[in-house]
Every structure is written in structure tokens, then in C-alpha cells.
Amino acid sequence: MAEPAESANPPELKSRIGAILRATSGNFLEQFDFFLFAFYAPAIAKAFFPAADETAALLNAYGVFWLGALMRPVGAIVLGAYIDRIGRRQGLIVTLALMALGTVVIAFCPSYDAIGVAAPAIVLIGRLIQGFSAGVELGGVSVYLSEIATPGNRGFYTSFQSSSQQVAIFVAAIIGFILSEAMPGDTFLDSIGGIAKWRIPFFVGCIIIPVIFVLRRSLEETPAFLAMKKHPTAREVFASAIANWRIVILGMMIAVLTTTTFYFITVYAPGFGKQLNLSPTGTLLITLLVAVTNFIWNPVGGALSDRIGRKPVLLTISALSLLTTYPALSWLAAEPSLGKLLAVQMMLSFYFGVYSGTMLGCLVEIVPAHVRTTCFSIAFALAAGIFGTSTPAVATKLISMTNGDRASPAYWLVFGAALSIIATLIVYRGGGKTVPAYDTAAEPVAGH
């Protein structure tokens, strides 16, 4: 199918800053809830997944977290086709509604002690709904931002998709810190007025849902989508996505380093701190700082790649991650301290932020414009669903399999870096100008 033509003078947005804020608001809810689920995984495990020992219960909770993520590719295909056919604005409203539904289900689900095996089943359904929605949320927002970007600034604009997620991490960590400091009790299973403490942040997420809906409903459609003379049918979207499967797989490989590093330094950080026998409060404060530096490094990476190209940034960060991650974690694990944890987390935050800000622009550029949302979303959903969101479970399992080697989670990050180097060299093997052998319908990646 030929790529739909775009008119020379598409309608202009009223405010790009306003459009960025409205588009990324849903990302806030997505990452806020994802972080909460993993951060409170020990409490959620005890509430919904009782098992013979604490590690088994925690792995059950992380397993449900991962199963929800495996719905991402399904959501990417179904909802991605919907957005490419019906429009960016309407599609992002639908994804927000589904994400909100999953949040409410988990927040209000009774515990295992109250309703038995129905409790973990309900929580699993909530996570599956969230994963289905998240499969296209990131792709839909990234595509939206890329299509409203000013010339020469696509990487910078798309980087704010990831930056918005860091705001969610920061807010969630702040709430966790306040709860842990202000409320007595050794665990978040303790109740306040009959309500377990771990549920309170989820209730906060429910409260902000109406605000985000108001923001999303006022979102304008992108000029690029409005200017297309023909929008593909769902069948045409699926056919084109299948035809471009090689670039989708390469895009997934490029995104793996982003997803594994992100989940390690944010979602898994509290659990890793516990493995290192470090103060939970101190670990949480470090996670707060990581969210701040992630927010800063993302647009820096996007802007840098706009100037010098995507390829050199992707390869440089991947190589640094490949060579330094295990030595850094070994240094930390040898004599754990909050100071060392902060240093390692800051290093990985730099890698993640610069790489992610570049990777988002790369992914948008190497997929076909007329199925941009679908192909982008499938690539990233596969990376997040298979690799990224499995990071807490894999890291926990690696430590167990290596007789307590607390540096062993580095193997997972090194694996992601290796995949990135291979895929980047293949995609940009002709000097980084185009990717004709893998995607004849893709736009040229000019200057990158």
C-alpha cells in the first residue's frame, strides 16, 4: 500500500507546549500505576499472592506484573491500528480510559483473606487491562509528539514522552516516602482506618484520573494526520505491519536497553536496595533523585541526537553500558552503601536518559508513516513486555541462581546493550541515511 500523501500546508496547532502537556498526561497515569505496583510488590504479594515463603510470594507478584506487560504487544496491534485509522486524539482518549479502569480494579480489589483465589484473579485482570492499554500509550504519545515537532527537533520533542514518565516516578516515590515517614508500622500491609497503607497511593491515582481525562479531551489532532489524504483501514494497517516485520524486530532490539535500564533503576530499585540491606527510606530518596535526573537527561539526549545524529549517540551509550555496568554493580555489591548506590544509579540514569531520548526519535523515523503508531508500538511493546517489565523478576532470579551474587542483574542490562549495538549497526549500516532494505515505505532518516 502506498504511503498516504500529506498536503503542503497542514493546519497549525494552537499551542505546542499545551499539546505536549495534554498528550503526556496519560503517560503520567500509566507509569504512576506501573511503578506503584512494583514498588509495593512485597505488600501486594502478601495481600493477594500468599505463598510458602516471601521470595515465592514476591516472584508471584512480579510474575503478574510481567504477565500484564505481555499484553502490550496485543494492545499495540489492536489499538495501534485503531489510532492509525481513526486518529491520534481519539485513540489516546481510549487508551487513557482503559488504563484508568485497570487502576481502579487494583485499587479496590479485596485481599486474598477476604475473597480467596478470586483476589489474585481480579488483580491479574486489572494488570492485563493496563498492559493492553500501555501497549499503545507510549507509541501513540511518541508519534503525536513527533508529528507536532518543529523541523530539526523531532528527537527533542519525542523525548518528552519519556520525561513525563519520570514525573510520575517522582510523584509516586514522594507519596511512598511521606507514607513511610509519617505513618507507624513496619509494613505497608498495616491498616489505617481499615485501609491498607499500600492502597493509598493507588487511591491517589484514582483521584487524578478525572483531571487527566479533561486534559486529554482537549487534545488537538496532529496536523500531519489531518493532512493525510487517505487513512489506512485496519486490514491495511495489519498487512503493512506484517510486511515491515524486520524493522519492527530491529526497533524492538534497539528499545531493549531503554526498557531494561529504566525498570532496573526505578521499579526494581527498592527491591534491589533490600537485597543490599540498605535503608528503604534512603533507597527511596535515591529513586527520587533518579526520577529527576532521568527527566533532565531525556531531552538532552533527544536534542543531542538532533544535532549529531541518532547512530553515534545510540552506539556510544550502548558501548558504555556494555563495558561498565557489571564492574559498577560489583563495586556496589562488595560493600553496599547508600553513597555507592547513588553513584551507580546516577551513572545508569545518565545512560538511560540520553539513550531513551535518542531511541524514541529513532523509532519514529524508521517505521512507515502511515502505520507509524502500530509499528512503533509493536516494537516498543515487545521490548517492554518481553524484556523491560520482566527485569524485576529476572534480577531477583539471577541473584538466586548465582548463589547470592548481587551484581548478577548486570548480565540482563549487558544483554540489552549488546542487542542495541547489533540492531543499531544493522539499521544505520549505510551511513545512517535510510533503511531501504528493511522498510521501503519508511521516510528517510535525514542527517541521522
Side-chain angles (χ1 to χ4, degrees):
M1 172 183 158
E3 182 179 324
E6 299 183 4
S7 65
N9 300 299
E12 291 294 327
L13 291 173
K14 295 177 182 178
S15 169
R16 281 187 169 81
I17 294 178
I20 291 173
L21 292 174
R22 293 182 181 93
T24 57
S25 61
N27 269 324
F28 176 93
L29 178 63
E30 174 200 339
Q31 201 55 55
F32 181 81
D33 195 68
F34 268 50
F35 179 78
L36 288 180
F37 191 96
F39 179 72
Y40 295 111
I44 291 174
K46 292 180 180 178
F48 299 114
F49 307 100
D53 59 78
E54 185 176 334
T55 300
L58 186 59
L59 285 173
N60 285 338
Y62 281 146
V64 169
F65 182 76
W66 186 42
L67 285 174
L70 291 180
M71 283 296 290
R72 282 177 177 249
V74 180
I77 295 171
V78 177
L79 295 177
Y82 177 77
I83 292 177
D84 280 327
R85 179 173 58 87
I86 206 71
R88 316 309 189 205
R89 175 187 178 276
Q90 184 62 37
L92 289 177
I93 291 175
V94 170
T95 62
L96 177 59
L98 291 171
M99 179 61 65
L101 176 60
T103 299
V104 171
V105 167
I106 294 175
F108 289 92
C109 179
S111 68
Y112 184 91
D113 289 340
I115 60 173
V117 294
I122 292 172
V123 171
L124 176 59
I125 291 172
R127 288 290 303 134
L128 293 178
I129 293 172
Q130 288 178 329
F132 183 76
S133 169
V136 81
E137 171 70 21
L138 184 145
V141 171
S142 298
V143 167
Y144 185 95
L145 295 177
S146 75
E147 291 183 349
I148 67 170
T150 53
N153 293 301
R154 181 178 284 169
F156 178 70
Y157 271 70
T158 54
S159 71
F160 282 99
Q161 182 282 323
S162 185
S163 287
S164 69
Q165 294 184 328
Q166 312 317 311
V167 177
I169 297 295
F170 183 83
V171 173
I174 279 285
I175 294 173
F177 177 76
I178 292 173
L179 286 174
S180 63
E181 288 296 300
M183 299 178 181
D186 295 329
T187 75
F188 279 97
L189 281 177
D190 294 333
S191 297
I192 300 174
I195 299 174
K197 287 192 296 184
W198 69 265
R199 292 186 188 270
I200 295 175
F202 285 89
F203 291 152
V204 173
C206 293
I207 292 172
I208 65 176
I209 286 173
V211 178
I212 298 176
F213 261 110
V214 171
L215 291 173
R216 272 281 170 94
R217 285 182 63 84
S218 61
L219 193 67
E220 299 174 76
E221 186 55 83
T222 68
F225 184 84
L226 291 174
M228 288 184 181
K229 295 180 179 178
K230 182 181 183 299
H231 299 139
T233 64
R235 178 176 296 181
E236 290 171 333
V237 170
F238 294 146
S240 185
I242 292 173
N244 289 281
W245 67 269
R246 285 175 293 183
I247 198 62
V248 169
I249 295 299
L250 288 170
M252 176 201 73
M253 293 170 64
I254 289 175
V256 167
L257 182 58
T258 290
T259 62
T260 53
T261 305
F262 173 74
Y263 280 95
F264 182 84
I265 62 177
T266 57
V267 172
Y268 181 63
F272 190 49
K274 187 175 181 179
Q275 293 275 0
L276 297 171
N277 299 314
L278 298 176
S279 161
T281 301
T283 302
L284 193 55
L285 286 174
I286 290 173
T287 304
L288 281 170
L289 293 175
V290 165
V292 174
T293 54
N294 285 351
F295 181 88
I296 295 170
W297 288 124
N298 263 280
V300 169
L304 180 64
S305 69
D306 283 331
R307 301 298 176 266
I308 70 173
R310 319 286 186 227
K311 180 181 179 180
V313 179
L314 294 175
L315 288 178
T316 298
I317 297 299
S318 298
L320 286 172
S321 182
L322 184 74
L323 296 173
T324 65
T325 301
Y326 186 79
L329 288 187
S330 295
W331 172 71
L332 169 61
E335 294 183 7
S337 70
L338 288 175
K340 284 187 173 183
L341 178 63
L342 175 62
V344 172
Q345 288 284 81
M346 288 297 101
M347 180 191 79
L348 294 177
S349 171
F350 170 75
Y351 293 168
F352 162 74
V354 175
Y355 187 90
S356 176
T358 303
M359 179 276 302
L360 292 169
C362 163
L363 239 59
V364 167
E365 290 169 339
I366 66 176
V367 297
H370 63 293
V371 286
R372 188 174 279 152
T373 305
T374 305
C375 288
F376 183 111
S377 297
I378 293 174
F380 195 89
L382 289 172
I386 299 174
F387 301 98
T389 45
S390 65
T391 296
V394 171
T396 302
K397 192 66 176 178
L398 281 171
I399 293 175
S400 174
M401 291 173 59
T402 55
N403 297 317
D405 180 5
R406 294 172 294 185
S408 60
Y411 298 140
W412 191 236
L413 304 184
V414 167
F415 173 67
L419 288 181
S420 171
I421 292 172
I422 294 170
T424 300
L425 290 174
I426 294 174
V427 167
Y428 294 106
R429 70 197 183 288
K433 298 298 181 181
T434 57
V435 284
Y438 294 92
D439 181 16
T440 56
E443 296 174 311
V445 189
H448 301 287

